[in-house]
Amino acid sequence: MSTALRPSACPGLLRIVPALDGGICRIKLAGGAISAAQAVAVAQAAERYAGGVIEATNRANLQIRGIGEQQSALIAELLAAGLGPSTAAGDDVRNLMLSPTAGIDPQMLIDTRPLAAQILGTLQNHPRFHQLSAKFAVQLDGGEALAMLDHHHDLWLSAFAGVDGPCLAFGLAGCPVDPPLGAVALEHGHRLLVAVLELFLDRARPEQTRMRHLLADYSAAELLARLDLPLLEIEAWARPTTPAGLHIGSHPQVGGGRVYVGAVTPLGRLDPTLLRGAARLASEWGDGNLRFSPWQSLLLPNVRAEDGPEVCRRLEQLGLLCSADRALAHLVACTGSSGCGKGLADTKGDALQLAALLQRHARTLEVHLSGCPRSCACAHVAPATLLAVGPGRYDLYLRDAGQPGFGALHARNLSIEAAGALLDARPRSNLDA
């Protein structure tokens, strides 16, 4: 792959970005899926060429941290495992989110994987789309019960049952719980994507890298009027929300007799031994594949229903979290000051301390610990956010639809003990997972 990469602050497989703890390589997974053999290759590369730290991201990708001088060798090994883009310039734009249960979810209206493959091929192989920002992202939702519906995307498409067959509702700079702008028949889904991306590149100024920036200059109606497509109107829209906990534990797949088993990676962190162990379980008990999720969890699909409890037990033995009763399974924390120059606190260590405090009182709260205002670890606003203001000190925000950013400021300059006490004292509410 000789195509030159454009400058970007975002890591990719072909672009190693420096951090306090070494280089970061981001491996973008198609629909979050990776074979057991590829997972072993990631574990081996992290061991050979880095510090052995592997992260599951909130976009269902993997990252290797602490990469040293042998960057070229690491990239070559991952490319040989089939984890790279079809074209070098296409690496940045492989930003398509699916449900981690695409194709196997009992509630799905369509199997999104064929259309997803078509979209990913176009993004990688259409030279003009390589101009898109490395943060520009698309979501394709098949109506699954397990779907991340809170992450905003530049373009989202969501399946529903039309009068004449499956259709795709769509929207800009939002997510499938928002009112859609319109809809197309399923067979026009790829054409819609191409038309929207070309319209964005036609109209956006160089500094306008995201769809929300373009919508500051043009109304959605103005943009829709420029789409040469047979658009459908939607009289009513109500995307069913995702029940809590479907990414953790054993859950039925479509067709009966099989389950997928979900396990949370503690604070998004894995090591080579853990990843190898999960890959081995996927080969021995499943179909030889793993799926990562935007909840920083992994799924083993196509496990026999009667084997689900044993697979959960073995995943727990590896150090993963298979029970929604574990407080740690509901906490999110960025890299923090141990690996990031912008981090003001050791968020990972503080999150472990907070989890222990909450576990004593059997509280499972959705809490996000962020080392700085950039909110790298959480792509949506959590019910509670602890924003670091110094080592071991945090401001507490509670989600409020009427407030921008993290929400309403509830308390300042708290220790982890004080934050834990405040959170534990709150009545059972939407903070509870």
Side-chain angles (χ1 to χ4, degrees):
M1 294 191 180
S2 58
T3 305
L5 297 180
R6 61 184 176 173
S8 172
C10 290
L13 187 144
L14 305 177
R15 181 193 297 106
I16 310 296
V17 172
L20 277 183
D21 55 351
I24 305 173
C25 171
R26 181 172 299 156
I27 306 160
K28 296 184 177 181
L29 307 177
I34 186 171
S35 72
Q38 288 174 325
V40 170
V42 172
Q44 182 171 287
E47 239 171 14
R48 287 181 174 176
Y49 310 115
V53 173
I54 304 163
E55 293 180 325
T57 78
N58 60 35
R59 296 282 179 187
N61 295 314
L62 289 175
Q63 289 186 164
I64 297 175
R65 299 190 67 93
I67 300 167
E69 296 179 355
Q70 293 181 286
Q71 296 184 3
S72 297
L74 177 138
I75 292 170
E77 200 158 299
L78 296 175
L79 286 174
L83 291 165
S86 57
T87 61
D91 192 27
D92 280 343
V93 295
R94 296 189 292 159
N95 302 321
L96 175 62
M97 181 180 285
L98 306 182
S99 162
T101 52
I104 61 172
D105 195 296
Q107 186 179 292
M108 68 181 183
L109 300 174
I110 62 169
D111 182 348
T112 57
R113 292 173 297 178
L115 178 55
Q118 190 179 12
I119 289 172
L120 283 171
T122 297
L123 289 172
Q124 293 181 80
N125 298 312
H126 192 311
R128 193 179 185 208
F129 294 157
H130 300 164
Q131 300 172 37
L132 293 169
S133 162
K135 294 183 180 296
F136 196 99
V138 178
Q139 179 172 14
L140 176 57
D141 165 40
E144 298 89 354
L146 179 57
M148 175 55 78
L149 302 177
D150 295 330
H151 289 189
H152 280 212
H153 286 76
D154 296 278
L155 168 65
W156 61 264
L157 305 98
S158 184
F160 69 98
V163 175
D164 298 319
C167 297
L168 291 170
F170 69 93
L172 304 176
C175 46
V177 293
D178 297 333
L181 297 178
V184 295
L186 178 60
E187 60 266 27
H188 293 142
H190 178 260
R191 183 179 165 194
L192 170 69
L193 171 113
V194 171
V196 168
L197 298 192
E198 289 186 337
L199 179 60
F200 174 83
L201 292 172
D202 284 343
R203 299 288 169 177
R205 300 191 303 274
E207 68 274 15
Q208 293 177 316
T209 58
R210 305 297 300 275
M211 188 63 74
R212 66 178 182 270
H213 303 149
L214 186 62
L215 289 174
D217 287 353
Y218 296 90
S219 70
E222 287 178 293
L223 295 177
L224 286 183
R226 291 178 166 88
L227 293 178
D228 184 19
L229 279 167
L231 299 181
L232 308 174
E233 293 186 2
I234 302 177
E235 294 183 2
W237 177 255
R239 171 45 165 105
T241 56
T242 296
L246 284 184
H247 63 291
I248 308 175
S250 177
H251 298 278
Q253 291 184 191
V254 70
R258 296 277 167 171
V259 298
Y260 69 84
V261 179
V264 175
T265 60
L267 302 177
R269 283 283 171 94
L270 306 93
D271 60 37
T273 300
L274 191 158
L275 186 54
R276 279 197 187 93
R280 184 170 57 252
L281 291 177
S283 296
E284 293 175 356
W285 298 82
D287 62 3
N289 292 284
L290 301 166
R291 299 187 185 193
F292 283 86
S293 89
W295 291 271
Q296 295 180 305
S297 64
L298 61 84
L299 274 58
L300 273 63
N302 293 306
V303 173
R304 293 191 308 171
E306 59 267 31
D307 294 333
E310 178 62 17
V311 172
C312 283
R313 188 185 71 81
R314 294 190 181 213
L315 287 168
E316 288 267 5
Q317 285 181 332
L318 289 173
L320 292 160
L321 307 172
C322 288
S323 171
D325 294 334
R326 300 282 295 278
L328 187 57
H330 304 280
L331 301 189
V332 176
C334 67
T335 298
S337 56
S338 63
C340 176
K342 296 183 182 295
L344 298 178
D346 177 13
T347 51
K348 297 286 192 192
D350 291 340
L352 291 174
Q353 185 181 354
L354 178 62
L357 293 170
L358 295 174
Q359 192 72 51
R360 290 177 195 168
H361 297 93
R363 294 299 299 269
T364 54
L365 309 180
E366 300 282 354
V367 185
H368 167 213
L369 288 83
S370 188
C372 79
R374 293 187 304 163
S375 187
C376 293
C378 199
H380 64 277
V381 179
T385 297
L386 290 171
L387 177 62
V389 294
R393 313 297 296 189
Y394 294 84
D395 289 346
L396 171 61
Y397 291 81
L398 300 180
R399 185 167 59 193
D400 184 335
Q403 298 282 344
F406 296 120
L409 179 61
H410 185 70
R412 289 187 181 276
N413 198 29
L414 300 171
S415 66
I416 285 296
E417 292 86 351
L422 264 181
L423 291 167
D424 188 45
R426 292 189 64 80
R428 301 282 170 176
S429 68
N430 64 350
L431 292 183
D432 290 86

